[in-house]
């Protein structure tokens, strides 16, 4: 009897040991899977393109949207890049107290607008959804590689899964390759080539790490700060301007654009979803030199049939009310610059306030007000950055730098001795000298002069050396700005370079006299120009790339 009990107890202990071992193995497998998932997710975050293309910061727009307090945003703007450059949420708040966010993402198709609308409804109690309707008025669908820009940074969830499945099933042109559903669900499979390119020292760059490590906030709440002027762009054609082709139009016929069925389908679904969730829709068309009367008529028909207001800023009557000047208010043929956006944002703010029951969040002490005020200094710095791009002469530019600085700008001059023909006026010389630049940079030298000058916390440091015929001279200055950013500037017979925290500033021009403006508030270079003179001709101000 005792023997049987001991045997049973021994078997029990053995079974318990095996069970613990099995549980241990299961826990290890689960931990391994979790670590693997986290590693894949981290690699995807690093290797996915950041879509930070010059003036656009689409990934930051999407990322920052998810950081909004729940049910804190009453007005949301949806659409492609044109709306991103049209509606300024900070201006709407400061002038009207409206809490809004601009979810415009470059190249967004109507299917993307629908799913971002659906996604936004999960966290925000939207009163008004403003939809920039250009994509709906087009007879063709966006190319797949462009549409990904509105997909990649949507959070993993049912909306993203549905977006991937439905976009994968969209009927495409014969010459366009059908997107791979697997690559939508697991982007690392699509962007894996960036790993091999990284190993070769290409493609993965400072923006990738910078974004991945936390510099991924949109301080303008999705608004894109554009600062070029249409009249200065290659796309501007004086003959078309003389013919009035950029002036907008009035409705004179009933011709209607033939709709793209995919776009039409998702416009209908946006309308249905808005009705279901009791959200007011407002259709908007931003100023656009390519927008036509028949496209307007098509959208107007949809709007009328569904009792949706439609503001078309390409109608001459609306242009007049806006006091819109396409030469100076457009950044290019289809996007507004900050001058134009100031006019359209004021127009939209007034319309929204007069036609919808919106909260004025400027009143009282509330979390929305605190959020806007918390990041206002960064928004203002971004606007100032844009305004630095408007001056076309050195005198105007230096004045703008001084006026906008507010103690946040550090100015760097860098020129190699290959630049030996830059001519300055007496006024320009005095301005630069007053900024702390050494008088030596203005001394003539047959073989050129290597020049480095850096302002840092109210002081200016200069390194200037003349080149000779038979020797190579190199000058450099290094240090740390008060925001903690290290800098190193060099100049020699081949030109000049600038590194910030060991990352090379690529906007310098080797054959020009470079002026670089670093913003300690934004912690980045906000402006680069170079002076150039060909064969002793008048010196011109040029923009760095």
């Amino acid at each position: 009897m005792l023997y049987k009990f001991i045997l049973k107890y021994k078997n029990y202990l053995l079974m318990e040991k095996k069970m613990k071992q099995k549980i241990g193995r299961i826990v290890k497998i689960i931990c391994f899977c979790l670590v693997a998932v986290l590693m894949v997710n981290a690699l995807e975050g690093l290797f996915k393109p950041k879509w930070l293309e010059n003036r656009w910061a689409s990934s930051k727009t999407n990322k920052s949207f998810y950081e909004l307090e729940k049910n804190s945003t009453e007005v949301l703007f949806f659409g492609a890049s044109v709306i991103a450059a049209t509606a300024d949420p900070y201006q709407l708040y400061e002038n009207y107290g409206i809490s809004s966010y601009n979810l415009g993402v470059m190249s967004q198709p109507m299917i993307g607008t629908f799913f971002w609308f659906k996604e936004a409804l999960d966290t925000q109690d939207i009163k008004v959804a403003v939809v920039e309707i250009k994509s709906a008025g087009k007879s063709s669908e966006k190319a797949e590689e462009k549409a990904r820009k509105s997909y990649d940074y949507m959070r993993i969830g049912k909306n993203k899964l549905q977006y991937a499945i439905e976009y994968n099933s969209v009927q495409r042109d014969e010459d366009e390759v059908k997107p791979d559903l697997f690559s939508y669900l697991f982007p690392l499979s699509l962007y894996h080539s960036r790993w091999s390119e990284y190993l070769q020292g290409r493609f993965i760059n400072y923006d990738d790490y910078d974004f991945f490590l936390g510099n991924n906030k949109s301080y303008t709440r999705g608004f894109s700060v554009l600062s070029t002027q249409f009249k200065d762009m290659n796309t501007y054609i004086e003959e078309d301007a003389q013919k009035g082709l950029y002036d907008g139009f009035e409705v004179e016929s009933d011709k209607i654009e033939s709709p793209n069925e995919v776009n039409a389908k998702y416009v209908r679904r946006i309308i249905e979803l808005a009705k279901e969730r009791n959200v007011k829709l407002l259709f908007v068309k931003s100023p656009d030199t390519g927008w036509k009367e028949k496209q307007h008529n098509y959208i107007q028909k949809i709007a009328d049939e569904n009792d949706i207001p439609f503001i078309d800023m390409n109608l001459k009557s609306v242009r007049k009310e806006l006091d819109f000047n396409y030469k100076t208010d457009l950044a290019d043929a289809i996007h507004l610059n900050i001058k134009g956006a100031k006019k359209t944002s004021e127009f939209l703010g007034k319309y929204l306030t007069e036609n919808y029951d919106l909260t004025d969040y400027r009143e009282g002490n509330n979390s929305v007000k605190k959020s806007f005020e918390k990041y206002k200094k960064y928004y203002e710095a971004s606007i100032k950055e844009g305004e630095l791009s408007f001056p076309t002469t050195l005198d105007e530019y230096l004045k703008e730098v001084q006026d906008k600085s507010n103690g946040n700008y550090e100015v760097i001059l860098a020129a190699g001795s290959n630049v030996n023909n830059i001519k300055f006026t007496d006024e320009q010389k005095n301005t630069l000298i007053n900024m702390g630049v050494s008088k030596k940079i203005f001394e003539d030298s047959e073989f050129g002069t290597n020049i480095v000058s850096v302002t840092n916390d109210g002081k200016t440091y200069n390194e200037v050396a003349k080149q000779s015929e038979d020797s190579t001279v190199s000058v450099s200055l290094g240090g740390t700005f008060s925001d903690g950013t290290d800098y190193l500037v060099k100049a020699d017979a081949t030109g000049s370079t600038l590194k910030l925290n060991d990352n090379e500033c690529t906007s310098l021009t080797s054959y020009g006299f470079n002026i670089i403006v670093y913003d300690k508030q934004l912690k980045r270079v906000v402006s680069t120009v170079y002076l150039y003179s060909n064969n002793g001709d008048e010196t011109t101000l040029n923009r760095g790339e």
Side-chain angles (χ1 to χ4, degrees):
M1 187 77 175
L2 180 60
Y3 174 75
K4 288 182 178 180
F5 173 78
I6 292 172
L7 187 61
K8 284 184 178 179
Y9 184 68
K10 185 178 180 180
N11 289 335
Y12 169 77
L13 292 176
L14 186 62
M15 289 177 62
E16 185 179 34
K17 182 179 180 181
K18 288 182 177 178
M19 182 60 71
K20 286 182 178 179
Q21 288 175 339
K22 186 180 288 187
I23 291 173
R25 284 195 295 270
I26 292 172
V27 169
K28 288 179 180 178
I29 291 171
I30 291 173
C31 289
F32 174 80
C33 292
L34 286 174
V35 171
V37 168
L38 290 173
M39 287 181 65
V40 169
N41 188 59
L43 285 172
E44 284 185 353
L46 178 62
F47 283 95
K48 276 191 304 188
K50 304 307 178 287
W51 310 127
L52 307 177
E53 300 180 10
N54 299 321
R55 53 203 181 163
W56 308 110
S58 296
S59 303
K60 292 183 179 181
T61 291
N62 292 156
K63 179 80 169 52
S64 294
F65 167 74
Y66 290 112
E67 297 175 7
L68 294 175
E69 179 186 358
K70 189 174 182 180
N71 297 329
S72 64
T73 310
E74 295 184 342
V75 178
L76 273 166
F77 296 90
F78 298 92
S81 57
V82 284
I83 192 64
T86 297
D88 180 351
Y90 260 92
Q91 186 177 335
L92 296 179
Y93 169 77
E94 291 179 352
N95 292 355
Y96 295 97
I98 297 171
S99 178
S100 66
Y101 193 88
N102 193 326
L103 261 173
V105 172
M106 56 181 170
S107 301
Q108 186 177 102
M110 285 311 301
I111 182 174
T113 297
F114 168 73
F115 279 106
W116 271 109
F117 180 30
K118 195 175 182 185
E119 179 80 355
L121 286 167
D122 287 346
T123 58
Q124 299 299 323
D125 185 15
I126 306 170
K127 289 187 177 181
V128 185
V130 183
V131 178
E132 213 293 338
I133 209 70
K134 178 175 183 174
S135 293
K138 297 185 70 173
S139 58
S140 60
E141 176 56 47
K142 292 275 188 183
E144 186 273 338
E145 67 271 14
K146 290 188 174 183
R148 290 199 71 106
K149 296 172 184 178
S150 70
Y151 172 86
D152 278 350
Y153 287 87
M154 183 180 285
R155 275 185 180 171
I156 296 174
K158 61 180 181 179
N159 292 327
K160 188 167 188 174
L161 177 61
Q162 189 179 357
Y163 185 176
I165 292 171
E166 291 192 23
Y167 195 69
N168 183 255
S169 65
V170 168
Q171 185 67 39
R172 318 217 144 263
D173 295 335
E174 293 182 3
D175 59 346
E176 185 176 355
V177 178
K178 186 176 182 178
D180 178 10
L181 178 59
F182 185 79
S183 74
Y184 273 81
L185 301 179
F186 302 98
L188 193 59
S189 66
L190 179 67
Y191 301 127
H192 69 276
S193 62
R194 299 185 100 214
W195 175 254
S196 61
E197 290 174 333
Y198 165 66
L199 293 177
Q200 298 173 39
R202 296 182 292 117
F203 209 67
I204 300 296
N205 55 36
Y206 177 70
D207 281 342
D208 290 294
Y209 294 112
D210 197 39
F211 185 96
F212 182 70
L213 295 174
N215 185 11
N216 48 32
K217 183 179 290 294
S218 171
Y219 292 118
T220 59
R221 296 176 77 92
F223 171 58
S224 292
V225 178
L226 309 189
S227 51
T228 54
Q229 296 185 108
F230 183 37
K231 66 182 179 68
D232 300 323
M233 304 297 286
N234 292 333
T235 50
Y236 177 78
I237 302 173
E238 183 61 37
E239 290 181 1
D240 288 349
Q242 295 297 328
K243 293 176 183 177
L245 298 181
Y246 300 142
D247 291 333
F249 55 83
E250 292 295 359
V251 177
E252 297 177 345
S253 73
D254 56 2
K255 292 181 180 179
I256 292 181
E257 176 70 72
S258 298
N260 173 276
E261 286 304 318
V262 175
N263 293 334
K265 171 185 176 181
Y266 286 97
V267 170
R268 290 193 297 269
R269 292 184 66 179
I270 289 170
I271 294 170
E272 291 166 3
L273 183 59
K275 289 178 179 178
E276 177 187 323
R277 298 295 295 270
N278 196 30
V279 175
K280 301 291 185 183
L281 278 181
L282 171 61
F283 286 169
V284 167
K285 181 65 204 79
S286 304
D288 184 337
T289 63
W291 186 250
K292 305 301 180 185
E293 182 185 348
K294 63 180 182 178
Q295 294 171 308
H296 165 91
N297 290 341
Y298 169 61
I299 300 301
Q300 189 67 64
K301 183 174 183 292
I302 296 174
D304 292 341
E305 290 173 349
N306 294 278
D307 195 27
I308 299 170
F310 175 35
I311 299 174
D312 191 341
M313 298 179 185
N314 297 284
L315 295 177
K316 287 188 176 182
S317 55
V318 180
R319 290 275 187 93
K320 184 177 181 181
E321 191 171 351
L322 286 168
D323 188 27
F324 186 79
N325 184 337
Y326 64 85
K327 289 184 177 182
T328 56
D329 294 338
L330 280 172
D332 52 41
I334 61 175
H335 300 102
L336 291 169
N337 60 32
I338 49 179
K339 293 179 181 178
K342 188 172 184 179
K343 296 178 180 181
T344 54
S345 296
E346 174 61 23
F347 184 88
L348 289 170
K350 187 171 184 292
Y351 183 90
L352 289 165
T353 302
E354 292 177 351
N355 290 277
Y356 303 97
D357 182 21
L358 300 175
T359 306
D360 186 344
Y361 284 96
R362 296 171 300 179
E363 299 177 355
N365 187 22
N366 57 78
S367 58
V368 172
K369 181 178 182 179
K370 290 177 181 177
S371 177
F372 272 94
E373 292 181 349
K374 180 180 179 180
Y375 296 110
K376 182 179 178 180
K377 59 185 178 181
Y378 299 105
Y379 160 78
E380 291 177 338
S382 298
I383 297 298
K384 288 177 181 178
E385 176 185 356
E387 291 172 342
L388 283 179
S389 294
F390 287 123
T392 57
T393 68
L394 178 60
D395 297 282
E396 294 171 343
Y397 181 75
L398 292 176
K399 184 178 185 305
E400 195 75 10
V401 169
Q402 291 176 312
D403 289 347
K404 302 295 182 188
S405 175
N406 197 28
N408 291 324
Y409 288 168
E410 301 295 4
V411 180
I412 302 166
L413 305 184
S417 56
N418 58 343
V419 182
N420 62 353
N421 56 354
I422 302 300
K423 297 184 181 300
F424 295 93
T425 65
D426 290 340
E427 185 176 352
Q428 292 164 354
K429 290 179 182 179
N430 290 333
T431 300
L432 289 168
I433 290 170
N434 289 336
M435 292 171 63
V437 174
S438 171
K439 295 180 181 180
K440 291 182 180 179
I441 74 166
F442 306 116
E443 295 177 1
D444 293 332
S445 174
E446 181 182 358
F447 302 105
T449 305
N450 298 296
I451 298 165
V452 173
S453 178
V454 181
T455 66
N456 189 356
D457 206 19
K459 298 180 181 179
T460 304
Y461 302 89
N462 297 278
E463 286 290 341
V464 181
K466 292 182 180 182
Q467 188 72 38
S468 64
E469 183 178 12
D470 55 357
S471 67
T472 298
V473 177
S474 178
V475 296
S476 63
L477 266 175
T480 304
F481 293 130
S482 58
D483 68 345
T485 299
D486 296 328
Y487 65 86
L488 177 63
V489 196
K490 294 182 178 181
D492 58 29
T494 61
S496 54
T497 61
L498 165 66
K499 285 187 176 182
L500 297 171
N501 289 337
D502 289 328
N503 296 291
E504 188 160 349
C505 179
T506 59
S507 56
L508 272 66
T509 303
S510 61
Y511 55 82
F513 186 108
N514 295 279
I515 304 177
I516 307 105
V517 180
Y518 177 80
D519 189 331
K520 293 182 291 187
Q521 184 76 67
L522 297 176
K523 289 197 168 188
R524 66 167 185 259
V525 170
V526 292
S527 178
T528 306
V529 301
Y530 65 93
L531 309 180
Y532 181 70
S533 178
N534 187 20
N535 297 323
D537 294 339
E538 181 181 357
T539 299
T540 60
L541 180 75
N542 307 274
R543 297 288 167 183
E545 296 300 324

